[in-house]
Amino acid sequence: MTLKLEINPIKEWLPHIDNPLLISGPCSLESEEQALDTAKLLAQDKRVFIYRGGVWKPRTRPGSFEGVGSVGLKWLQTVKKETGLPVGTEVANAQHTEEALNAGLDVLWIGARSTASPFVVQEIADVVKGTDAVIMIKNPVNPDVQLWMGAVERINQAGIKNIVAIHRGFTPFRETKYRNYPNWKTVIELKRILPNLPIICDPSHIAGKREYLYEISQKAFDMGMEGLMLESHRDPSCAMSDAAQQLTPDDLGKLLDKLVIRHENANNPNFESQLDVLRNRIDALDSELLEILASRVAIVKQIGQYKRENNVTALQMNRWTQLMDNRVNLGKRLDINETFVKILFQLIHEDSVRMQTEIMDEE
């Protein structure tokens, strides 16, 4: 399934952009002085196109800093006036959205918790209807591409064409080194379904720690994303929220200097023909791989029939353990990623058990 929504490219509403979109600023606005000082430092780097600042900060539990509230909108107005940078903030409900629009903010984004609620997204859509607002939509907290896509559709159905999706990672279902699990395949799926939707990455919320920002940012560009949202604070050690993931404007510049920006097309006139040769080889190998899997399925069915005739269970843990150890070790010798091998054979084995169980349950 592919959807063709009427969505503008970023350059349509930000015509002076000449690099990937970079949005930067503090996680939270804490004072007018902090907001303006950080903005002036960021404005010195012409790669920064939009200044961000959290005004309302929905927290998981009460008692922590939840933002300065509406007064922060005035600080953003001052930032725009004194630096010339467009400004934006997160909105979590219809009231926030109305206040931000009335304050003349250039960009609004819907946070992960709000994206997870179609009711909240629809209320925001009702407020922005009839405007030319720029609305960015972070992924929901769980890797549900339909929920993310639905939020984009609701905003688009309100007549909004300036839409950008933000990949900020997902609530981890297992222990990871990152704060949020990247789960890049969900982003790839969204891009497949909505090919003209601009997508940027929020490495700050994926990483949770400064030391991981570069690797995630580079991965985002390697995946063809159109920009980054990176949190920056004049003095992260004093930040009232998410101190560990924010960079000083100077350190932000150093990170940007290291990044390699990828492009969908190359200047090399022979690139496409050389790539086609390699892709044709991949296509041939994939066909061969599917034929091998089909042969494996036929044998699995024979085993299922044999087990049924001898009243033996479909799942045999000793065999499964031996099989997995053998395949992982073989994968290591062939220099194939261990995690990939485990996931691949977990899927293959689960489907084998399913087929054998169906054979055993036949009338």
Side-chain angles (χ1 to χ4, degrees):
M1 177 182 67
T2 299
L3 295 179
K4 186 70 173 179
L5 302 183
E6 194 172 353
I7 297 175
N8 291 328
I10 293 173
K11 200 168 182 64
E12 185 79 18
W13 50 267
L14 198 63
H16 64 284
I17 191 169
D18 55 1
N19 271 304
L21 175 63
L22 177 62
I23 303 171
S24 192
C27 172
S28 300
L29 299 185
E30 299 157 2
S31 69
E32 186 171 17
E33 180 187 18
Q34 170 251 8
L36 193 54
D37 284 353
T38 305
K40 287 179 177 178
L41 291 170
L42 290 171
Q44 295 174 19
D45 192 326
K46 299 308 177 185
R47 292 169 293 189
V48 177
F49 292 101
I50 297 173
Y51 179 83
R52 59 146 291 146
V55 172
W56 302 282
K57 300 299 298 182
R59 313 301 288 179
T60 302
R61 299 179 64 190
S64 54
F65 179 62
E66 295 189 324
V68 296
S70 302
V71 67
L73 298 175
K74 296 180 179 179
W75 302 346
L76 288 172
Q77 290 173 330
T78 302
V79 165
K80 182 176 181 179
K81 181 179 179 181
E82 298 204 15
T83 68
L85 286 171
V87 294
T89 197
E90 178 179 329
V91 293
N93 55 44
Q95 181 182 341
H96 293 171
T97 307
E98 192 165 344
E99 288 188 43
L101 287 178
N102 290 337
L105 268 60
D106 302 282
V107 175
L108 311 180
W109 63 87
I110 302 172
R113 293 179 178 87
S114 300
T115 303
S117 171
F119 294 104
V120 171
V121 175
Q122 187 59 56
E123 289 172 0
I124 292 173
D126 291 342
V127 173
V128 300
K129 188 174 184 178
T131 73
D132 59 354
V134 177
I135 304 296
M136 300 186 176
I137 304 169
K138 290 195 173 185
N139 59 256
V141 291
N142 54 312
D144 186 338
V145 72
Q146 294 293 318
L147 200 55
W148 199 0
M149 184 175 67
V152 172
E153 289 178 296
R154 288 178 186 276
I155 296 299
N156 186 247
Q157 287 174 2
I160 302 300
K161 300 178 184 178
N162 303 323
I163 303 175
V164 175
I166 305 176
H167 172 226
R168 50 79 77 191
F170 304 89
T171 300
F173 57 87
R174 56 181 172 80
E175 186 176 344
T176 72
K177 68 177 184 179
Y178 300 139
R179 173 181 176 179
N180 287 314
Y181 182 58
N183 199 31
W184 299 99
K185 65 180 182 180
T186 302
V187 187
I188 294 171
E189 181 65 4
L190 181 70
K191 188 66 175 175
R192 185 190 67 79
I193 296 172
L194 296 171
N196 65 326
L197 173 68
I199 305 177
I200 67 172
C201 184
D202 176 355
S204 301
H205 280 89
I206 293 175
K209 294 182 180 179
R210 279 181 285 279
E211 54 261 40
Y212 302 137
L213 292 176
Y214 168 74
E215 63 187 68
I216 297 169
S217 299
Q218 186 60 65
K219 174 75 171 181
F221 282 142
D222 293 347
M223 298 286 288
M225 295 198 187
E226 296 186 41
L228 304 171
M229 178 183 280
L230 284 162
E231 292 182 345
S232 182
H233 191 292
R234 64 177 182 179
D235 185 359
S237 65
C238 299
M240 298 176 70
S241 62
D242 292 346
Q245 67 192 37
Q246 299 192 66
L247 295 166
T248 64
D250 183 58
D251 286 339
L252 173 67
K254 293 176 182 176
L255 183 150
L256 296 176
D257 289 340
K258 292 166 57 180
L259 292 174
V260 177
I261 300 171
R262 311 292 184 188
H263 303 280
E264 285 197 10
N265 301 300
N267 292 325
N268 180 358
N270 297 320
F271 173 78
E272 287 297 333
S273 61
Q274 293 171 355
L275 192 62
D276 283 342
V277 170
L278 295 173
R279 284 172 171 167
N280 288 336
R281 289 172 61 185
I282 288 287
D283 291 344
L285 288 169
D286 283 348
S287 296
E288 186 176 344
L289 181 61
L290 288 171
E291 290 172 4
I292 292 171
L293 286 173
S295 297
R296 191 185 193 282
V297 166
I299 296 172
V300 165
K301 291 179 177 179
Q302 290 179 32
I303 292 173
Q305 187 63 41
Y306 190 56
K307 286 180 177 178
R308 177 184 178 180
E309 293 170 358
N310 290 272
N311 203 28
V312 174
T313 60
L315 176 62
Q316 294 171 304
M317 285 305 301
N318 287 338
R319 163 63 179 166
W320 165 233
T321 302
Q322 292 171 2
L323 182 150
M324 182 61 86
D325 289 344
N326 176 272
R327 304 309 187 259
V328 168
N329 289 330
L330 177 58
K332 287 179 180 178
R333 291 198 296 273
L334 296 172
D335 197 27
I336 301 176
N337 181 271
E338 180 178 341
T339 301
F340 171 76
V341 173
K342 287 181 178 179
I343 293 173
L344 174 63
F345 278 94
Q346 179 75 39
L347 291 171
I348 290 174
H349 187 258
E350 286 177 358
D351 201 54
S352 297
V353 172
R354 177 192 62 78
M355 285 188 287
Q356 291 182 15
T357 303
E358 289 178 354
I359 291 171
M360 292 178 177
D361 290 341
E362 288 176 355
E363 294 295 336

